[in-house]
Amino acid sequence: MTIAEYSKEKILYMLELAKEFEAKPNRHLLDGKVVATLFFEPSTRTRLSFETAANRLGARVIGFSDPKATSSSKGETLKDTVKMVSNYADIIVMRHYLEGAPRYASEVTSVPIVNAGDGSNQHPSQTMLDLYSIYKTQGTLDGLNIFLVGDLKYGRTVHSLLMAMRHFNPTFHFIAPEELRMPEEYKIYCRQQGIRYVEHSEFSEESIAGADILYMTRVQRERFTDLMEYERVKNVYILRAKMLEKTRPNMRILHPLPRVNEIAYDVDESPKAYYFQQARNGLYAREAILCDVLGISLDEVRRDRVEAQGK
Protein backbone atom coordinates (compact mmCIF):
# COMPACT_ATOMS: atom_id res chain seq x y z
CA MET A 1 0.00 0.00 0.00
CA THR A 2 2.78 2.44 0.93
CA ILE A 3 6.54 2.35 1.04
CA ALA A 4 6.32 3.75 4.60
CA GLU A 5 5.49 0.21 5.75
CA TYR A 6 8.89 -1.10 4.58
CA SER A 7 11.86 -1.31 6.93
CA LYS A 8 15.40 -0.58 5.75
CA GLU A 9 16.10 -4.32 5.70
CA LYS A 10 12.98 -4.98 3.61
CA ILE A 11 13.92 -2.29 1.08
CA LEU A 12 17.44 -3.71 0.67
CA TYR A 13 15.94 -7.19 0.38
CA MET A 14 13.65 -6.01 -2.43
CA LEU A 15 16.59 -4.42 -4.26
CA GLU A 16 18.42 -7.75 -4.14
CA LEU A 17 15.30 -9.41 -5.50
CA ALA A 18 15.12 -6.89 -8.36
CA LYS A 19 18.81 -7.51 -9.10
CA GLU A 20 18.06 -11.23 -9.45
CA PHE A 21 15.35 -10.51 -12.00
CA GLU A 22 17.60 -8.18 -13.96
CA ALA A 23 20.07 -11.08 -14.23
CA LYS A 24 17.30 -13.36 -15.51
CA PRO A 25 13.92 -11.73 -16.26
CA ASN A 26 12.21 -14.75 -17.81
CA ARG A 27 11.10 -17.34 -15.24
CA HIS A 28 8.26 -19.78 -14.58
CA LEU A 29 7.81 -18.79 -10.95
CA LEU A 30 4.19 -17.70 -11.44
CA ASP A 31 3.03 -20.50 -13.75
CA GLY A 32 -0.68 -21.08 -13.15
CA LYS A 33 -1.21 -17.72 -11.42
CA VAL A 34 -3.57 -14.99 -12.64
CA VAL A 35 -2.69 -11.31 -12.18
CA ALA A 36 -5.52 -8.76 -12.54
CA THR A 37 -4.62 -5.18 -13.47
CA LEU A 38 -7.41 -2.73 -12.61
CA PHE A 39 -6.51 0.76 -13.83
CA PHE A 40 -9.20 3.31 -13.05
CA GLU A 41 -6.78 6.04 -14.17
CA PRO A 42 -4.67 6.27 -17.36
CA SER A 43 -1.23 4.66 -17.31
CA THR A 44 1.35 3.46 -19.81
CA ARG A 45 4.58 2.51 -18.05
CA THR A 46 3.11 1.22 -14.79
CA ARG A 47 0.42 -0.92 -16.38
CA LEU A 48 2.61 -2.29 -19.16
CA SER A 49 5.55 -3.02 -16.87
CA PHE A 50 3.33 -4.86 -14.37
CA GLU A 51 1.73 -6.85 -17.20
CA THR A 52 5.13 -7.58 -18.75
CA ALA A 53 6.47 -8.62 -15.35
CA ALA A 54 3.56 -11.03 -14.92
CA ASN A 55 4.01 -12.46 -18.41
CA ARG A 56 7.76 -12.91 -18.02
CA LEU A 57 7.13 -14.80 -14.79
CA GLY A 58 4.65 -17.16 -16.46
CA ALA A 59 1.40 -15.69 -15.11
CA ARG A 60 -1.72 -14.86 -17.10
CA VAL A 61 -3.05 -11.30 -17.07
CA ILE A 62 -6.65 -10.10 -16.98
CA GLY A 63 -8.08 -6.66 -16.29
CA PHE A 64 -8.81 -3.30 -17.85
CA SER A 65 -7.14 0.00 -18.61
CA ASP A 66 -10.36 1.96 -19.16
CA PRO A 67 -13.06 1.81 -16.46
CA LYS A 68 -15.59 3.12 -19.00
CA ALA A 69 -15.53 -0.34 -20.56
CA THR A 70 -16.47 -2.01 -17.26
CA SER A 71 -19.54 -2.24 -15.05
CA SER A 72 -18.24 0.67 -12.96
CA SER A 73 -19.60 2.86 -15.76
CA LYS A 74 -23.00 1.40 -14.91
CA GLY A 75 -22.66 2.40 -11.28
CA GLU A 76 -21.00 -0.69 -9.84
CA THR A 77 -19.18 0.16 -6.60
CA LEU A 78 -15.45 -0.31 -6.13
CA LYS A 79 -16.19 -2.91 -3.46
CA ASP A 80 -18.28 -5.01 -5.83
CA THR A 81 -15.76 -4.69 -8.67
CA VAL A 82 -12.88 -5.83 -6.45
CA LYS A 83 -14.83 -8.69 -4.91
CA MET A 84 -15.92 -9.86 -8.34
CA VAL A 85 -12.38 -9.75 -9.81
CA SER A 86 -10.96 -11.49 -6.74
CA ASN A 87 -12.95 -14.56 -7.78
CA TYR A 88 -10.76 -14.85 -10.86
CA ALA A 89 -7.28 -13.63 -9.81
CA ASP A 90 -4.52 -14.51 -7.36
CA ILE A 91 -3.37 -10.90 -7.02
CA ILE A 92 -4.80 -7.50 -8.04
CA VAL A 93 -2.68 -4.55 -9.18
CA MET A 94 -4.79 -1.41 -8.89
CA ARG A 95 -4.45 2.24 -9.80
CA HIS A 96 -7.18 4.63 -8.73
CA TYR A 97 -7.75 8.38 -8.81
CA LEU A 98 -9.00 8.40 -5.19
CA GLU A 99 -6.48 8.47 -2.35
CA GLY A 100 -6.83 5.37 -0.19
CA ALA A 101 -8.82 3.35 -2.74
CA PRO A 102 -6.29 0.47 -2.93
CA ARG A 103 -6.19 0.22 0.86
CA TYR A 104 -9.97 0.09 0.95
CA ALA A 105 -9.88 -2.64 -1.70
CA SER A 106 -7.47 -4.64 0.44
CA GLU A 107 -9.98 -4.51 3.30
CA VAL A 108 -12.86 -5.99 1.29
CA THR A 109 -11.03 -8.98 -0.23
CA SER A 110 -8.53 -11.61 0.87
CA VAL A 111 -6.68 -11.43 -2.47
CA PRO A 112 -3.45 -9.36 -2.23
CA ILE A 113 -3.74 -5.81 -3.58
CA VAL A 114 -0.75 -3.91 -4.98
CA ASN A 115 -1.09 -0.11 -5.01
CA ALA A 116 -0.10 1.11 -8.49
CA GLY A 117 -0.85 4.73 -7.55
CA ASP A 118 -3.72 6.36 -5.66
CA GLY A 119 -4.46 9.96 -6.53
CA SER A 120 -1.71 12.30 -5.33
CA ASN A 121 -1.01 10.08 -2.33
CA GLN A 122 1.45 7.21 -2.94
CA HIS A 123 3.15 5.29 -5.76
CA PRO A 124 5.17 2.60 -3.94
CA SER A 125 6.08 0.42 -6.93
CA GLN A 126 7.51 3.49 -8.71
CA THR A 127 9.53 4.19 -5.59
CA MET A 128 10.95 0.68 -5.62
CA LEU A 129 12.24 1.15 -9.16
CA ASP A 130 13.48 4.64 -8.23
CA LEU A 131 15.45 3.19 -5.32
CA TYR A 132 16.87 0.48 -7.56
CA SER A 133 17.88 3.13 -10.12
CA ILE A 134 19.51 5.29 -7.46
CA TYR A 135 21.39 2.30 -6.03
CA LYS A 136 22.59 1.20 -9.47
CA THR A 137 23.85 4.66 -10.45
CA GLN A 138 25.31 5.77 -7.11
CA GLY A 139 26.44 2.44 -5.64
CA THR A 140 24.67 3.34 -2.39
CA LEU A 141 21.49 4.82 -0.98
CA ASP A 142 23.24 6.46 1.96
CA GLY A 143 23.99 10.16 2.44
CA LEU A 144 22.83 11.42 -0.95
CA ASN A 145 21.78 14.90 -2.03
CA ILE A 146 18.45 14.43 -3.78
CA PHE A 147 16.88 17.36 -5.60
CA LEU A 148 13.12 17.08 -6.24
CA VAL A 149 11.93 19.51 -8.92
CA GLY A 150 8.53 20.60 -10.18
CA ASP A 151 5.18 19.35 -8.92
CA LEU A 152 5.85 18.45 -5.30
CA LYS A 153 2.26 19.10 -4.22
CA TYR A 154 0.48 16.48 -6.33
CA GLY A 155 3.48 14.31 -7.27
CA ARG A 156 2.84 10.97 -5.55
CA THR A 157 6.22 9.64 -6.74
CA VAL A 158 8.14 12.23 -4.72
CA HIS A 159 5.94 11.65 -1.66
CA SER A 160 6.72 7.94 -1.69
CA LEU A 161 10.44 8.49 -2.38
CA LEU A 162 10.65 10.87 0.57
CA MET A 163 9.28 8.19 2.90
CA ALA A 164 11.50 5.44 1.52
CA MET A 165 14.71 7.43 1.93
CA ARG A 166 14.14 8.03 5.65
CA HIS A 167 16.38 5.04 6.38
CA PHE A 168 19.36 6.37 4.42
CA ASN A 169 20.30 9.80 5.83
CA PRO A 170 19.52 11.91 2.71
CA THR A 171 19.44 15.64 2.25
CA PHE A 172 16.49 16.72 0.14
CA HIS A 173 16.23 19.92 -1.85
CA PHE A 174 12.65 20.85 -2.75
CA ILE A 175 12.52 23.08 -5.85
CA ALA A 176 8.99 24.16 -6.70
CA PRO A 177 6.89 27.24 -7.38
CA GLU A 178 4.77 28.50 -4.53
CA GLU A 179 1.63 26.82 -5.89
CA LEU A 180 3.29 23.37 -6.03
CA ARG A 181 5.43 23.29 -2.90
CA MET A 182 5.85 20.12 -0.88
CA PRO A 183 2.74 19.75 1.32
CA GLU A 184 3.17 20.59 4.97
CA GLU A 185 2.34 17.05 6.07
CA TYR A 186 5.44 15.73 4.29
CA LYS A 187 7.65 18.45 5.74
CA ILE A 188 6.33 17.51 9.19
CA TYR A 189 7.19 13.88 8.34
CA CYS A 190 10.75 14.96 7.47
CA ARG A 191 11.17 16.74 10.78
CA GLN A 192 9.77 13.79 12.71
CA GLN A 193 12.10 11.37 10.91
CA GLY A 194 15.17 13.62 11.13
CA ILE A 195 15.35 14.06 7.34
CA ARG A 196 17.21 17.21 6.30
CA TYR A 197 15.54 19.36 3.66
CA VAL A 198 15.94 22.77 2.07
CA GLU A 199 13.28 24.59 0.04
CA HIS A 200 14.10 26.64 -3.07
CA SER A 201 12.22 28.41 -5.81
CA GLU A 202 15.23 29.07 -8.04
CA PHE A 203 16.05 26.48 -10.70
CA SER A 204 19.36 27.26 -12.36
CA GLU A 205 22.75 25.82 -13.29
CA GLU A 206 24.10 26.98 -9.93
CA SER A 207 21.20 25.77 -7.80
CA ILE A 208 21.47 22.13 -8.97
CA ALA A 209 25.28 21.87 -9.00
CA GLY A 210 25.39 19.86 -5.75
CA ALA A 211 22.89 17.17 -6.74
CA ASP A 212 23.63 13.45 -6.73
CA ILE A 213 20.12 12.75 -8.00
CA LEU A 214 18.05 15.31 -9.90
CA TYR A 215 14.46 14.05 -9.84
CA MET A 216 12.33 15.97 -12.34
CA THR A 217 8.54 15.78 -12.29
CA ARG A 218 5.75 16.72 -14.66
CA VAL A 219 3.23 19.38 -13.69
CA GLN A 220 0.11 17.22 -13.76
CA ARG A 221 -2.72 18.93 -15.57
CA GLU A 222 -5.18 16.26 -14.43
CA ARG A 223 -4.69 17.21 -10.76
CA PHE A 224 -5.71 20.85 -11.23
CA THR A 225 -9.26 22.05 -10.75
CA ASP A 226 -8.22 25.56 -11.83
CA LEU A 227 -6.75 25.38 -15.36
CA MET A 228 -5.57 29.00 -15.15
CA GLU A 229 -3.35 27.97 -12.25
CA TYR A 230 -2.00 25.08 -14.35
CA GLU A 231 -1.16 27.44 -17.22
CA ARG A 232 0.77 29.70 -14.84
CA VAL A 233 3.07 26.95 -13.54
CA LYS A 234 3.32 24.32 -16.31
CA ASN A 235 6.56 25.65 -17.84
CA VAL A 236 8.20 27.24 -14.81
CA TYR A 237 11.12 24.79 -14.66
CA ILE A 238 12.69 23.33 -17.80
CA LEU A 239 15.95 21.38 -17.60
CA ARG A 240 18.28 22.05 -20.53
CA ALA A 241 21.59 20.39 -21.42
CA LYS A 242 23.60 23.56 -20.75
CA MET A 243 22.46 23.49 -17.12
CA LEU A 244 24.37 20.22 -16.55
CA GLU A 245 27.85 21.68 -17.12
CA LYS A 246 28.56 22.33 -13.42
CA THR A 247 26.89 19.20 -12.04
CA ARG A 248 28.76 16.36 -10.36
CA PRO A 249 30.13 13.52 -12.54
CA ASN A 250 28.01 10.98 -10.64
CA MET A 251 24.79 12.99 -10.95
CA ARG A 252 21.91 11.24 -12.69
CA ILE A 253 18.58 12.64 -13.86
CA LEU A 254 15.46 10.67 -12.99
CA HIS A 255 11.87 11.25 -14.07
CA PRO A 256 8.85 8.98 -13.52
CA LEU A 257 7.61 9.86 -17.03
CA PRO A 258 5.73 10.85 -19.08
CA ARG A 259 7.47 14.15 -19.60
CA VAL A 260 5.89 17.14 -21.27
CA ASN A 261 8.16 20.21 -21.37
CA GLU A 262 10.18 19.89 -18.17
CA ILE A 263 13.17 18.11 -19.73
CA ALA A 264 14.39 19.47 -23.07
CA TYR A 265 15.20 16.87 -25.71
CA ASP A 266 18.87 17.94 -25.83
CA VAL A 267 19.24 16.46 -22.32
CA ASP A 268 18.53 12.97 -23.70
CA GLU A 269 22.04 12.83 -25.22
CA SER A 270 23.75 13.44 -21.87
CA PRO A 271 25.24 10.41 -20.06
CA LYS A 272 23.62 11.87 -16.95
CA ALA A 273 20.12 11.27 -18.36
CA TYR A 274 18.86 8.04 -16.81
CA TYR A 275 15.06 8.22 -17.10
CA PHE A 276 14.65 5.68 -19.88
CA GLN A 277 16.90 3.17 -18.08
CA GLN A 278 14.89 4.00 -14.96
CA ALA A 279 11.71 2.93 -16.76
CA ARG A 280 13.38 -0.34 -17.78
CA ASN A 281 14.27 -0.98 -14.14
CA GLY A 282 10.52 -0.90 -13.46
CA LEU A 283 10.21 -4.37 -14.98
CA TYR A 284 12.68 -5.90 -12.52
CA ALA A 285 11.26 -4.04 -9.52
CA ARG A 286 7.72 -5.11 -10.35
CA GLU A 287 8.74 -8.72 -10.90
CA ALA A 288 10.19 -8.54 -7.39
CA ILE A 289 6.97 -7.05 -6.00
CA LEU A 290 4.70 -9.66 -7.58
CA CYS A 291 6.83 -12.54 -6.30
CA ASP A 292 7.24 -11.09 -2.83
CA VAL A 293 3.51 -10.44 -2.40
CA LEU A 294 2.77 -13.99 -3.56
CA GLY A 295 5.19 -15.45 -1.03
CA ILE A 296 8.13 -16.35 -3.28
CA SER A 297 11.37 -15.68 -1.41
CA LEU A 298 14.76 -14.41 -2.56
CA ASP A 299 16.25 -17.83 -1.82
CA GLU A 300 13.70 -19.47 -4.12
CA VAL A 301 14.45 -16.97 -6.87
CA ARG A 302 18.18 -17.55 -6.55
CA ARG A 303 17.70 -21.30 -6.54
CA ASP A 304 15.58 -21.03 -9.68
CA ARG A 305 18.39 -19.20 -11.50
CA VAL A 306 21.04 -21.70 -10.39
CA GLU A 307 18.88 -24.64 -11.47
CA ALA A 308 18.24 -23.03 -14.85
CA GLN A 309 21.99 -22.51 -15.38
CA GLY A 310 22.59 -26.18 -14.58
CA LYS A 311 20.24 -27.43 -17.26
Side-chain angles (χ1 to χ4, degrees):
M1 289 301 112
T2 170
I3 202 73
E5 297 170 347
Y6 273 22
S7 65
K8 179 178 182 179
E9 292 72 25
K10 181 67 173 182
I11 288 174
L12 295 175
Y13 171 89
M14 294 297 289
L15 298 186
E16 283 298 311
L17 201 49
K19 185 178 178 181
E20 275 292 318
F21 286 115
E22 182 168 11
K24 186 177 184 294
N26 295 334
R27 314 269 187 144
H28 294 282
L29 293 165
L30 298 186
D31 280 359
K33 299 291 186 182
V34 175
V35 177
T37 54
L38 310 186
F39 279 69
F40 293 86
E41 191 177 54
S43 169
T44 302
R45 274 148 299 276
T46 303
R47 181 176 63 84
L48 290 180
S49 64
F50 264 118
E51 292 182 354
T52 303
N55 280 304
R56 288 190 179 276
L57 291 168
R60 295 179 181 272
V61 178
I62 63 172
F64 57 82
S65 59
D66 182 1
K68 293 178 183 177
T70 72
S71 291
S72 62
S73 66
K74 303 174 184 177
E76 183 175 62
T77 65
L78 176 61
K79 177 181 179 180
D80 285 0
T81 298
V82 169
K83 289 182 76 68
M84 181 272 296
V85 173
S86 66
N87 290 322
Y88 313 137
D90 299 285
I91 182 172
I92 295 173
V93 178
M94 190 174 104
R95 168 171 287 189
H96 206 282
Y97 51 87
L98 292 178
E99 296 182 12
R103 186 174 293 280
Y104 171 75
S106 74
E107 293 170 354
V108 299
T109 180
S110 59
V111 173
I113 305 286
V114 175
N115 180 5
D118 60 330
S120 59
N121 183 34
Q122 295 282 315
H123 198 347
S125 71
Q126 175 71 43
T127 302
M128 196 54 63
L129 74 91
D130 290 345
L131 292 173
Y132 189 50
S133 299
I134 294 169
Y135 186 78
K136 282 181 66 177
T137 60
Q138 305 301 312
T140 183
L141 292 177
D142 291 304
L144 298 174
N145 288 306
I146 300 176
F147 286 54
L148 306 178
V149 182
D151 183 358
L152 308 188
K153 180 178 181 180
Y154 300 111
R156 57 191 171 200
T157 61
V158 297
H159 300 161
S160 290
L161 183 60
L162 188 68
M163 291 182 162
M165 289 301 298
R166 72 192 184 279
H167 302 297
F168 301 102
N169 193 33
T171 299
F172 279 103
H173 292 255
F174 303 151
I175 303 178
E178 184 66 31
E179 297 92 336
L180 297 175
R181 294 177 68 182
M182 184 66 73
E184 189 62 30
E185 64 190 277
Y186 290 102
K187 290 187 282 188
I188 292 171
Y189 181 86
C190 285
R191 293 192 290 271
Q192 290 174 339
Q193 298 293 325
I195 299 172
R196 296 183 298 276
Y197 72 89
V198 184
E199 292 190 271
H200 311 266
S201 57
E202 181 189 358
F203 183 60
S204 65
E205 188 175 345
E206 290 73 23
S207 67
I208 64 172
D212 296 308
I213 293 294
L214 182 62
Y215 197 106
M216 301 295 296
T217 65
R218 171 177 67 95
V219 176
Q220 302 173 79
R221 185 179 187 274
E222 63 270 26
R223 305 291 178 209
F224 283 79
T225 54
D226 183 349
L227 291 183
M228 291 296 291
E229 183 183 6
Y230 168 75
E231 291 295 329
R232 282 197 303 273
V233 298
K234 67 177 183 179
N235 292 323
V236 172
Y237 300 140
I238 300 176
L239 180 66
R240 305 184 189 279
K242 182 169 176 54
M243 297 172 65
L244 304 177
E245 292 177 0
K246 295 182 180 180
T247 56
R248 296 175 175 180
N250 65 295
M251 191 275 274
R252 292 295 180 270
I253 304 158
L254 302 185
H255 191 306
L257 300 177
R259 68 171 161 185
V260 182
N261 301 317
E262 61 279 358
I263 299 179
Y265 287 107
D266 61 1
V267 176
D268 295 355
E269 306 306 314
S270 170
K272 297 179 180 180
Y274 195 76
Y275 28 90
F276 293 117
Q277 297 95 317
Q278 175 190 3
R280 184 172 64 237
N281 290 337
L283 170 62
Y284 316 129
R286 288 173 173 129
E287 284 188 284
I289 290 167
L290 291 176
C291 283
D292 183 62
V293 171
L294 288 171
I296 298 171
S297 70
L298 176 59
D299 287 341
E300 290 175 271
V301 175
R302 284 174 172 161
R303 188 163 57 249
D304 173 77
R305 179 163 60 89
V306 170
E307 289 173 355
Q309 289 171 343
K311 291 180 180 178

